[in-house]
Amino acid sequence: VTLAEDRVAELLEEAARLAGNGEAVAAGALALEAAALLPAGDPDRHSAFASAGALLAAAGRHAMAADAWAGAAADAPDDTVRARDLTAEGEAARLAGMWWRAIDAHEWALALAEANNGSSVETAIIAQNLAMTFKYTGRFDEAESLYQRALAIAEDCGERQLVAAICHNLGGLAHARGDHAAGIPWARRSVREREPLDDPVGLAADRGALAGLLIDAGQLDEARQLLDAARHVFVEHLGDHHEVAVVDGNLAAVALARDDLAAAERHARAALGAKERHLGPDHPELAVTLTTLGTIRRRRGDRREAARLHRRALAVLRPSVVPGHRVLRTIEHNLATATRT
Amino acid sequence: MRTATDQHEPTTSRIRRAALRLALATAVSSTALVMAAEVAHARIALNHSEAAGAEQA
């Protein structure tokens, strides 16, 4: 029995106590400290890292959670567990805005899952996680192929939640490509698939995503109705949350399309403030809201602030997406309009 | 501070027991956090589709 072992036991016991009290961040930090003191390959090291990852992810500390899951993956007892740890790392990294790291983790997870579990539901979930990260970075063809593969597995296995989620995300992929006509049927199907599942928050997310597509199609009345309903559910169930910010961003786009610039600015500032609180000031998901607000400010006559907002949008998005990404081009066009003399 | 029980227990067993207790508390706690937020779809991630306010071409 060494002093280090005593220390590890004390750290884990205190972490368990804190976790039991709902103090997830403090518990996760102690679990990380304990894991780092244990030798590589020790099964308790994997357990401590995995506990830390779950606690930190649930508390929204996604960057720390990604590191914890990476530690767990390195000490996983077998490749099935390693695949789960890696895709958890990928999800945490994606939510933290570290999209390239997320792709690396999900790709490794998918290779392990395919080798060990073939076309299982687990493989489908990892494939759809990777597909979503490809979508965010602009690797659309790879995303499409993986989503379709995951959808076929989910349909074969009768996994209705997964089918609804993949339909939702195929709609999102079409939205990212600028093809609202292709996306709307997927988004409507996600709503139909979700409606019987007693999942009000998921259904609100589906309706909000459908609204994003309808805005681009100019169907503003239906979009507005869906957004109001989704916002009500999100506020009731989630409170101050990133999901509310996304709805507010879309409400800003509806108001902007209707030339109601005062309302548009109010919604866009609410969206931006909430995203900064939940994601931090440099997260790539701020870019769309920043450029929407920039467009509103330009149309209200403030070209200087408009240009500043568009430049900030480019700065947060450019490192995280492929060159020539559609949203990058939109922001560059918005910036050129704001700075045109 | 060590208890009489701890003094008779090999520390590696104590680590194993604490790690299991932490794993259980984590499962309860993280589930409770997710349930509290009612993010029922947390396991299957959903992307966001936010329309960008674009200037006229």
Side-chain angles (χ1 to χ4, degrees), chain B:
Chain B
M1 183 172 292
R2 304 190 86 182
T3 66
T5 305
D6 289 334
Q7 286 168 13
H8 293 289
E9 179 185 23
T11 300
T12 46
S13 298
R14 188 179 158 204
I15 289 173
R16 175 63 45 85
R17 199 159 51 96
L20 289 172
R21 196 185 307 149
L22 173 61
L24 179 61
T26 297
V28 172
S29 176
S30 55
T31 302
L33 280 167
V34 170
M35 292 293 282
E38 294 197 49
V39 191
H41 57 287
R43 182 167 167 263
I44 306 170
L46 301 174
N47 72 187
H48 294 121
S49 297
E50 185 174 333
E55 298 280 8
Q56 297 292 322

Side-chain angles (χ1 to χ4, degrees), chain A residues 305-329:
Chain A
E305 192 192 4
R308 187 182 62 74
L309 288 160
H310 294 314
R311 288 196 180 98
R312 187 176 158 206
L314 289 173
V316 298
L317 187 63
R318 191 174 270 138
S320 297
V321 296
V322 296
H325 189 283
R326 183 173 160 270
V327 177
L328 276 183
R329 293 204 313 272

Side-chain angles (χ1 to χ4, degrees), chain A residues 33-55:
Chain A
E33 195 179 335
L37 290 172
L38 286 163
D42 187 316
D44 295 320
R45 181 175 154 101
H46 175 267
S47 175
F49 270 132
S51 293
L55 287 162

Side-chain angles (χ1 to χ4, degrees), chain A residues 152-240:
Chain A
I153 296 172
E155 286 174 335
D156 280 352
C157 298
E159 287 284 334
R160 298 169 69 191
Q161 281 278 1
L162 186 55
V163 168
I166 296 167
C167 291
H168 173 118
N169 291 332
L170 278 162
L173 175 62
H175 180 261
R177 281 176 150 154
D179 189 355
H180 52 77
I184 287 170
W186 284 116
R188 290 201 189 282
R189 182 176 164 195
S190 77
V191 171
R192 281 200 311 277
E193 299 275 358
R194 187 95 58 186
E195 276 172 340
L197 300 181
D198 189 26
D199 178 6
V201 174
L203 187 57
D206 294 337
R207 288 178 170 150
L210 172 59
L213 285 152
L214 292 173
I215 293 167
D216 286 353
Q219 298 177 40
L220 301 180
D221 290 342
E222 185 182 359
R224 177 64 198 256
Q225 286 173 6
L226 290 166
L227 291 168
D228 286 343
R231 195 179 195 285
H232 179 79
V233 172
F234 285 145
V235 169
E236 181 184 350
H237 289 258
L238 308 178
D240 178 21

